[in-house]
Amino acid sequence: MGPVPALHEPLKKILGGSTAKVMAEHLDLHTAGDLLHHYPRRYAERGELTRLADLPLDEHVTVVAQVAKAAMKTFNHGKGVRLEVVVTDGSGSLTLVFFGRGAYAREKELIPGRRGMFAGKVSVFNRTRQLLHPDYELLDRDSDAGAAEAFAGRLLPIYPACKQFQSWKLTKAVDTLLDLFEAEQWQGLTDPLPPALRDGRGLADLPDAFRKVHRPRTKADIEDARARLKWDEAFVLQVALARRRHADSQLPAVARKPVPGGILDAFDAKLPFTLTEGQRSVSAEIFGDLATEHPMHRLLQGEVGSGKTMVALRAMLGVVDAGGQAAMLAPTEVLAQQHHRSVVEMMGELAEGGMLGGAEHGTKVVLLTGSMGVAARRQALLDLVTGEAGIVIGTHALIEDKVQFHDLGLVVVDEQHRFGVEQRDALRSKGKQPPHLLVMTATPIPRTVAMTVFGDLETSVLDQLPAGRSPIATHVVPAKDKPHFLARTWERVREEIEGGHQAYVVCPRIGDDLGEENGTRTNGTRTAAKGRSGSPGSDPEKAAAEADGERRPPLAVVDVAEQLTKGPLKGLRVEVLHGRMQPEAKDDVMRRFAAGEVDVLVATTVIEVGVNVPNSTVMVIMDADRFGVSQLHQLRGRVGRGSAPGLCLLVTDASEASPARARLAAVAATLDGFELSRIDLEQRREGDVLGQAQSGVRSSLRMLTVIDDEEIIAAAREEAAAVVAADPGLEGLPDLRTALDALLDEEREQYLDKG
């Protein structure tokens, strides 16, 4: 036996260079610890197998099955041969196909009655599911009765594998590693859980958990191992977040207490409505944080239209009263301009500080974006450095070195998930001391995800809609099955416009020639789209013919706008809006739409966040199945913002039984964003929810599923907070420190912070 393997020991020392190279390249496994934490996806029992009936197409699978029949066939007038082997597991069957010379060798092995593990990519040929040239390992070749007996009782681990390195090869590699650790009695292993916590919760020790997860004898073994390994992940992650909260709470900040009789009181006095209960209680939490000498770090979650901007604006005015400045950061220029417009409208003469006709308590509200003219930009920068401007709203142009503040007290970030930690830090460094931070998001985040992804922020939730917001009715329009529904959609749009309202039509693609392959595809799309099921002038026969071919390209703004103006919406004022337009052009279209000079806005998802036109009542989403659940919910929130009820129509070609249709039905069935975010999470699992962070997710959340393990995450958060409060440097817990270092190498630190 070699030296004691530590968790950071490179695999090439243990398994040899060539094996390690394949594992590193294709499975991203580099060290002993990586391999130990590469847990089986599931376990096959000798008598109970993956149901062949449920195999997904186009995925690389490993199945355990028995050969039912094998036949050699010839083709190409007897020149070619192929071996077709049908394997079965009781639930269904699958055909294995081997061509050429290899067919003869395999014919001798794959005889009826033999059982094996077969791995390959599932495809369909002549309506039969098949694996082409699968790798396989026969399970009962061993004539030694004892070995066969031992094997019969074992649960077979099936690992997440790949074509280059099958599940059974992973089993062998893990076996080698476990044998090494066992021989040395696991001396190199550090256990991150404090012994008191482990004993108090009756959790298995770590070597035992690794043994049971990779070599379980019973199902109870698997449960024990999972309970323990989930705790590790949840606890180490929550300790990392608790330490960040603790470090943040040690930073100094200037307490900002509102002054009675100042701009905030003047603003409240002229509000034409009363704040909701939710707005009042969340404001109280925020003002409580602002009054302390440590920086606030708060996440404000609120449904679209729940009045987050109002809460944020009141916090900003409170800071201005206390002598500081407030900056609001938006992800795009369109949004920054819009926030600026709505803040100035809400404040009225209070936003004209120092100007004729401005209120005595007023302050200047300036806009700062990358595309501003030189003179306007120079004036805005001057107003910031002198303190003349109490409030600045902008894009990340605000973070540039040139921008200096007189006394930055509060930073409000709109739509956190588009905003990285580097940017947060750069803005923080603009204050004499770290400013207070309020992050707003309109994407409802289930509690557990908030605890995991935004665990360094305290969370406030606005969950009631302000008075005067109207309900939104949502319907799925199956354009392919029922073309007359699509025709009715455009009639409904006309009716709303004749009633004095406006409409949005959202498409997944822009579709102008810019940036598309030499423009040919677009023109092809343009002509073909006229007969497409999802397009305005529908031809069901053509659509059906197309359905048999490949999935058509997504509908494009440019094409749809052209067809609507020539066809069903002829005579109405239709305009387009998308991300490739010049900022001035975008702003001009939005301004005219807001002013009621445009009837129908055909747009990409640039309108997803923050666009506020209370007079728009219909939202038609073309190819709705190509958008995610939370995106659809965001888009729907753009209508019904005034006193008239909203209508959202989800147009789709997806067939009735498809998962895509189920997703759309879920969106149509509820307006509760938290419920939808749960559905979204269940469908996508964790990968996407935690953003770009595949690296972080894969490294830190292997066993834990954010959606199912709410109790563990909540309990781990409490334990972690207690541990960090008692021992912030973790001096007394060296093993936990080691585990943290392993989890939070630089990249993952960054990822955690970015959320």
Side-chain angles (χ1 to χ4, degrees):
M1 279 291 159
V4 182
L7 288 179
H8 51 74
E9 187 82 17
L11 285 173
K12 62 169 175 274
K13 282 196 179 170
I14 301 165
L15 302 171
S18 54
T19 301
K21 185 167 187 271
V22 178
M23 290 170 87
E25 278 176 14
H26 297 287
L27 295 167
D28 199 21
L29 303 175
H30 305 273
T31 64
D34 288 347
L35 182 53
L36 276 181
H37 288 101
H38 189 74
Y39 306 129
R41 175 177 283 153
R42 55 189 175 79
Y43 301 86
E45 285 178 80
R46 209 172 153 81
E48 169 262 0
L49 315 160
T50 359
R51 288 168 47 82
L52 290 182
D54 303 338
L55 284 182
L57 275 185
D58 284 339
E59 270 189 36
H60 197 276
V61 299
T62 303
V63 297
V64 180
Q66 186 161 22
V67 177
K69 58 182 188 193
M72 197 66 90
K73 309 242 169 123
T74 59
F75 59 94
N76 198 4
H77 308 303
K79 291 190 187 121
V81 293
R82 69 171 182 270
L83 175 65
E84 288 186 6
V85 180
V86 178
V87 296
T88 172
D89 70 347
S91 78
S93 61
L94 180 68
T95 303
L96 317 176
V97 182
F98 301 93
F99 287 99
R101 276 191 302 229
Y104 294 109
R106 293 183 172 97
E107 187 184 23
K108 295 188 180 72
E109 288 191 325
L110 299 174
I111 46 183
R114 298 302 289 273
R115 293 166 52 82
M117 293 169 82
F118 303 94
K121 195 171 181 183
V122 185
S123 57
V124 167
F125 183 70
N126 279 345
R127 305 211 170 141
T128 307
R129 273 175 311 181
Q130 63 173 30
L131 298 183
L132 197 57
H133 285 279
D135 292 299
Y136 61 88
E137 178 96 329
L138 290 175
L139 295 177
D140 40 13
R141 270 198 285 221
D142 209 321
S143 53
D144 172 5
E149 204 46 46
F151 179 80
R154 224 178 113 184
L155 289 155
L156 289 178
I158 309 280
Y159 288 92
C162 62
K163 185 172 170 221
Q164 294 78 2
F165 208 80
Q166 300 84 5
S167 176
W168 52 86
K169 289 190 183 164
L170 276 159
T171 304
K172 287 174 183 159
V174 171
D175 277 343
T176 305
L177 192 60
L178 287 177
D179 290 345
L180 263 180
F181 272 109
E182 292 285 2
E184 301 293 343
Q185 287 160 359
W186 296 86
Q187 284 173 38
L189 194 66
T190 50
D191 188 335
L193 289 193
L197 189 160
R198 197 175 62 223
D199 300 342
R201 293 192 174 265
L203 297 167
D205 72 3
L206 202 48
D208 202 35
F210 282 134
R211 265 182 226 113
K212 285 177 169 173
V213 78
H214 291 294
R215 294 174 169 170
R217 287 191 301 281
T218 61
K219 290 196 171 150
D221 279 358
I222 299 171
E223 286 314 304
D224 281 358
R226 283 193 165 151
R228 163 63 215 250
L229 295 166
K230 281 179 177 183
W231 251 96
D232 277 18
E233 285 174 19
F235 180 70
V236 174
L237 193 57
Q238 291 301 337
V239 167
L241 294 164
R243 288 186 76 188
R244 181 156 313 119
R245 286 195 304 275
H246 183 269
D248 283 344
S249 72
Q250 302 305 301
L251 294 169
V254 180
R256 310 278 177 176
K257 298 188 173 95
V259 181
I263 189 170
L264 178 59
D265 285 353
F267 177 76
D268 283 350
K270 63 190 261 323
L271 275 181
F273 50 82
T274 53
L275 297 174
T276 64
E277 189 48 49
Q279 284 175 319
R280 278 202 292 274
S281 66
V282 169
S283 289
E285 290 174 344
I286 291 172
F287 284 119
D289 286 357
L290 289 172
T292 64
E293 298 191 343
H294 300 294
M296 162 171 84
H297 287 109
R298 194 165 279 283
L299 173 70
L300 174 55
Q301 290 191 51
E303 283 284 9
V304 171
S306 57
K308 294 184 298 296
T309 312
M310 173 61 71
V311 169
L313 176 56
R314 292 185 70 250
M316 289 159 79
L317 296 176
V319 168
V320 172
D321 273 343
Q325 290 169 295
M328 183 187 241
L329 244 96
T332 64
E333 295 215 349
V334 169
L335 266 178
Q337 286 158 344
Q338 181 150 336
H339 277 312
H340 181 256
R341 256 201 310 273
S342 59
V343 164
V344 169
E345 273 165 30
M346 283 194 244
M347 286 175 62
E349 75 275 14
L350 294 172
E352 298 165 358
M355 291 159 67
L356 280 173
E360 55 165 333
H361 296 302
T363 185
K364 243 184 179 180
V365 179
V366 300
L367 177 68
L368 189 63
T369 62
S371 66
M372 280 170 77
V374 178
R377 187 179 169 83
R378 189 178 297 129
Q379 184 60 51
L381 291 172
L382 190 65
D383 289 341
L384 284 181
V385 76
T386 59
E388 184 88 4
I391 294 179
V392 57
I393 296 171
T395 52
H396 26 251
L398 274 177
I399 299 171
E400 289 171 17
D401 295 341
K402 296 191 204 67
V403 182
Q404 295 300 322
F405 290 86
H406 176 63
D407 179 13
L408 180 60
L410 169 66
V411 176
V412 178
V413 179
D414 186 19
E415 292 299 321
Q416 155 72 10
H417 51 275
R418 309 187 178 199
F419 214 77
V421 68
E422 301 88 347
Q423 292 154 310
R424 255 161 54 178
D425 285 348
L427 243 176
R428 260 184 207 171
S429 65
K430 299 276 184 196
K432 297 189 178 69
Q433 287 188 328
H436 298 279
L437 176 71
L438 179 65
V439 172
M440 301 197 296
T441 175
T443 309
I445 303 162
R447 179 167 158 260
T448 40
V449 180
M451 283 193 288
T452 311
V453 183
F454 296 105
D456 58 333
L457 302 170
E458 297 299 327
T459 305
S460 299
V461 178
L462 277 175
D463 49 10
Q464 43 182 158
L465 291 185
R469 288 298 301 259
S470 307
I472 305 171
T474 310
H475 302 287
V476 178
V477 178
K480 192 183 235 169
D481 312 344
K482 300 183 175 166
H484 56 287
F485 277 35
L486 186 64
R488 177 74 190 115
T489 297
W490 305 123
E491 282 168 24
R492 280 293 290 119
V493 169
R494 262 190 188 282
E495 286 162 19
E496 287 295 314
I497 287 161
E498 280 156 14
H501 298 296
Q502 291 159 281
Y504 296 101
V505 177
V506 174
C507 307
R509 214 173 101 242
I510 297 175
D512 49 19
D513 293 349
L514 293 172
E516 301 208 2
E517 304 93 11
N518 61 33
T520 49
R521 183 179 97 198
T522 315
N523 300 335
T525 310
R526 207 168 275 177
T527 44
K530 294 198 169 68
R532 286 227 169 93
S533 45
S535 58
S538 194
D539 168 357
E541 283 174 27
K542 201 161 177 184
E546 200 159 51
D548 296 335
E550 285 184 16
R551 196 174 177 198
R552 61 171 174 73
L555 291 169
V557 167
V558 179
D559 308 338
V560 169
E562 188 185 328
Q563 291 153 25
L564 289 174
T565 43
K566 288 179 180 165
L569 301 186
K570 199 170 182 176
L572 298 181
R573 299 169 298 179
V574 178
E575 291 273 359
V576 298
L577 179 72
H578 57 71
R580 288 215 208 99
M581 289 162 63
Q582 290 301 317
E584 306 80 61
K586 268 193 279 200
D587 202 42
D588 178 56
V589 171
M590 263 330 296
R591 194 184 46 69
R592 287 187 294 120
F593 187 64
E597 296 163 19
V598 173
D599 299 318
V600 181
L601 190 60
V602 183
T604 54
T605 53
V606 290
I607 61 156
E608 176 187 349
V609 271
V611 170
N612 185 19
V613 179
N615 190 43
S616 52
T617 52
V618 198
M619 165 69 68
V620 181
I621 304 177
M622 308 300 289
D623 278 342
D625 49 286
R626 297 181 192 250
F627 297 93
V629 169
S630 53
Q631 218 178 10
L632 292 169
H633 182 60
Q634 290 287 321
L635 288 167
R636 167 170 66 184
R638 302 290 120 225
V639 296
R641 299 176 79 91
S643 50
L647 173 65
C648 176
L649 299 170
L650 306 172
V651 179
T652 177
D653 278 0
S655 62
E656 201 160 350
S658 65
R661 272 289 276 282
R663 211 169 58 227
L664 297 181
V667 174
T670 177
L671 289 170
D672 178 344
F674 285 91
E675 177 53 29
L676 286 173
S677 68
R678 237 192 132 72
I679 292 168
D680 198 19
L681 193 53
E682 277 170 354
Q683 287 182 339
R684 296 188 299 167
R685 300 317 284 180
E686 282 58 57
D688 301 341
V689 177
L690 304 184
Q692 270 27 84
Q694 288 307 347
S695 60
V697 174
R698 200 185 41 247
S699 338
S700 55
L701 300 187
R702 288 193 161 96
M703 184 65 88
L704 201 64
T705 55
V706 172
I707 193 87
D708 303 326
D709 297 320
E710 189 161 334
E711 289 79 24
I712 293 180
I713 292 172
R717 183 178 166 105
E718 275 172 40
E719 294 272 12
V723 164
V724 171
D727 180 3
L730 305 179
E731 306 300 332
L733 298 166
D735 281 6
L736 176 55
R737 279 216 313 274
T738 309
L740 266 182
D741 295 341
L743 172 77
L744 299 179
D745 56 33
E746 277 308 289
E747 175 188 24
R748 285 167 222 160
E749 272 278 5
Q750 292 292 314
Y751 142 65
L752 267 176
D753 227 337
K754 282 197 181 76

